[in-house]
Amino acid sequence: MADEDFETGDLFQDPEGYYPEEEKPTFAEHQMLSGQTVRVRLVGSHPLYGNLLWNAGRTSAHYIEERADTLTRDKDVLEIGAAAGVPSIVSAIMGARTTVMTDYPDLDLVQNMQYNADLALDKIPSQSKLHVEGYKWGSTVEPLLAHIPSTGDEKPVSFDVLIMADVVYAWREHGNLIKTMQMALKKDPSAVALVIFTPYQPWLLPQTEKFFPLAESSGFTVTKIFEKLMGDVLFEDDPGDERLRRTVFGYELRWAPDQLESNA
């Protein structure tokens, strides 16, 4: 029997509206204290929160800009959980030698971070290098350290500054965050990890705050540096204490003196 061609019509065509439309990326702007504007693309409705410009990220960027001369200029900076990457971009604009912007190694997130890094290139001085990497907390930091220029001596390269904005809410990941700090932060008294966050779910604040005694037991000192009340909440319809949901908390974590002595 000879083969015959059969017309299938629209049998295998999904009906219109069968799949929800993918949300298009949106853009947001961060106004630097210098008057410059950092424009970033956000990731649609991505479940890993690349779709928002968080208060802690904006506050971190302002904190870095205000102190760039002593905090980040000519230094090596790593951002963990960067999302849109505003603090990384501001660090690079303000003259950090190396800035590595990281978030979970999801293709959409990493590509979006790279897009934002490229978008800011005209604002970044030529001597400042901004890199993008996917990174899972607690995993090896060797690919991140590889971006730091070698000093030519035998001392291992590591980062002078870690930016950790709105990451400690993930309390189940506290151990992995501290592991990353231990591997990535330079063993130097001036090296610092900036931990800045807002308790968007205030009832979980006691879980979030467990990060700090865990860090202290892991070789770090913890210093609260500010508590800033924002004008508006980020999520108006969320439950819980409104004042806490408007507040950004800032901490500095540095190596404890005994950790530096053991490294001498």
Side-chain angles (χ1 to χ4, degrees):
M1 181 176 176
D3 291 337
E4 297 182 14
D5 292 330
F6 293 95
E7 294 290 336
T8 60
D10 294 333
L11 180 62
F12 298 107
Q13 182 175 332
D14 294 320
E16 186 176 349
Y18 182 79
Y19 295 106
E21 287 188 21
E22 184 176 346
E23 292 191 35
K24 295 181 180 179
T26 55
F27 288 81
E29 292 184 346
H30 170 78
Q31 195 72 26
M32 292 179 62
L33 302 173
S34 66
Q36 293 187 83
T37 298
V38 175
R39 190 167 189 260
V40 292
R41 187 177 70 179
L42 308 176
V43 185
S45 57
H46 200 282
L48 292 175
Y49 309 120
N51 61 319
L52 294 168
L53 198 52
W54 301 83
N55 286 336
R58 292 184 184 274
T59 303
S60 300
H62 281 151
Y63 187 87
I64 290 164
E65 185 180 358
E66 288 173 333
R67 295 158 181 80
D69 285 346
T70 56
L71 181 63
T72 56
R73 194 178 306 281
D74 299 323
K75 295 183 179 180
D76 301 310
V77 178
L78 169 66
E79 183 173 9
I80 300 167
V86 168
S88 287
I89 293 169
V90 169
S91 294
I93 290 172
M94 298 304 296
R97 181 175 71 161
T98 309
T99 306
V100 183
M101 181 196 306
T102 74
D103 208 322
Y104 190 79
D106 170 271
L107 183 61
D108 287 344
L109 277 175
V110 175
Q111 287 182 340
N112 195 68
M113 288 191 298
Q114 188 62 61
Y115 179 95
N116 290 338
D118 293 342
L119 199 61
L121 276 178
D122 64 337
K123 298 180 176 66
I124 297 172
S126 59
Q127 70 272 17
S128 185
K129 305 303 179 186
L130 176 58
H131 306 277
V132 170
E133 292 281 354
Y135 176 71
K136 185 178 179 181
W137 303 341
S139 60
T140 179
V141 297
E142 291 304 317
L144 312 181
L145 298 176
H147 292 294
I148 301 176
S150 174
T151 58
D153 56 29
E154 296 182 359
K155 294 182 71 172
V157 293
S158 42
F159 291 95
D160 300 290
V161 179
L162 270 57
I163 305 169
M164 302 167 64
D166 269 340
V167 296
V168 292
Y169 76 90
W171 54 270
R172 292 183 178 87
E173 290 292 321
H174 284 175
N176 283 328
L177 285 168
I178 288 171
K179 185 177 177 182
T180 294
M181 290 170 55
Q182 291 172 325
M183 293 186 292
L185 188 64
K186 182 180 292 183
K187 281 285 185 80
D188 186 279
S190 65
V192 62
L194 300 176
V195 178
I196 298 173
F197 70 96
T198 293
Y200 298 107
Q201 297 174 307
W203 59 93
L204 293 179
L205 182 57
Q207 291 280 17
T208 299
E209 291 178 326
K210 288 181 179 179
F211 174 80
F212 299 107
L214 182 60
E216 288 176 326
S217 67
S218 302
F220 296 94
T221 63
V222 176
T223 305
K224 187 174 182 179
I225 51 175
F226 65 79
E227 185 173 317
K228 181 178 179 181
L229 187 65
M230 308 298 286
D232 299 300
V233 294
L234 195 58
F235 305 102
E236 290 189 3
D237 297 331
D238 275 6
D241 185 293
E242 181 180 318
R243 185 178 181 86
L244 278 176
R245 292 188 291 120
R246 289 169 54 200
T247 302
V248 181
F249 296 90
Y251 291 80
E252 283 186 350
L253 277 68
R254 299 179 186 271
W255 286 107
D258 63 327
Q259 299 296 312
L260 296 173
E261 291 165 6
S262 65
N263 191 58

